[in-house]
Amino acid sequence: MKLSKPSHNVRILLAVVLVCAPPAFGAASDEEFARSVLQENGVSGGLIVHVGCGDGRLTAALRVSNRFLVHGLDADPANVEKARQHIRAHGLYGPVSVDVLYGSQLPYADNLVNLVVVDTRCEMPDVGSEILRILAPRGVAVVR
């Protein structure tokens, strides 16, 4: 009996781990949160996307080493400007960048992103299916 190969979508769904980070008592710093998310989920490099990046503090903190490229998105242009100022002030602009999120699709190719961090303030419709589309096999999505 020959078994058929699972469809591409099924493989992606099986590889996704969704972690909901509960609000911490005494809230951890952005740096502590970034390091714990990466360590606990085994993400060792690649593209990280922060959806709903706000002021860019966590976005910048997600670049814990040269093995990562970090891209933040926010629907509010004022937040994007704040985030860019923060990232530039820390000398990270280039390996860390931020753009305005337009529309209802994330601006990435399918199966590209190793880690997606979604801030709860993100109001993008149908963000779940977009996350599944852009995550690489064994990619991780974290809702903060």
Side-chain angles (χ1 to χ4, degrees):
M1 175 182 205
K2 185 176 179 182
L3 297 174
S4 63
K5 184 176 176 182
S7 75
H8 182 66
N9 290 338
V10 171
R11 282 185 281 144
I12 290 173
L13 286 173
L14 293 175
V16 171
V17 176
L18 182 61
V19 178
C20 293
F25 297 101
S29 71
D30 291 324
E31 292 80 13
E32 290 169 336
F33 179 81
R35 286 189 188 285
S36 70
V37 164
L38 294 168
Q39 287 175 348
E40 290 173 16
N41 294 293
V43 180
S44 60
L47 178 60
I48 297 174
V49 173
H50 183 199
V51 182
C53 69
D55 63 11
R57 293 185 189 280
L58 177 57
T59 310
L62 286 165
R63 185 156 196 276
V64 298
S65 77
N66 291 335
R67 294 186 313 244
F68 297 97
L69 183 65
V70 183
H71 192 231
L73 295 169
D74 202 290
D76 184 346
N79 283 344
V80 169
E81 186 53 38
K82 286 179 202 171
R84 286 178 176 164
Q85 288 174 4
H86 177 78
I87 292 164
R88 282 189 195 111
H90 287 82
L92 293 172
Y93 214 88
V96 179
S97 61
V98 181
D99 287 306
V100 176
L101 175 62
Y102 295 105
S104 60
Q105 289 190 315
L106 295 171
Y108 309 102
D110 296 357
N111 308 315
L112 177 68
V113 180
N114 299 87
L115 172 65
V116 178
V117 177
V118 181
D119 201 284
T120 55
R121 68 178 159 258
C122 171
E123 296 180 13
M124 187 179 140
D126 202 20
V127 70
S129 64
E130 274 298 287
I131 289 171
L132 290 175
R133 181 185 66 76
I134 67 169
L135 273 177
R138 298 187 188 161
V140 178
V142 177
V143 178
R144 180 177 187 217

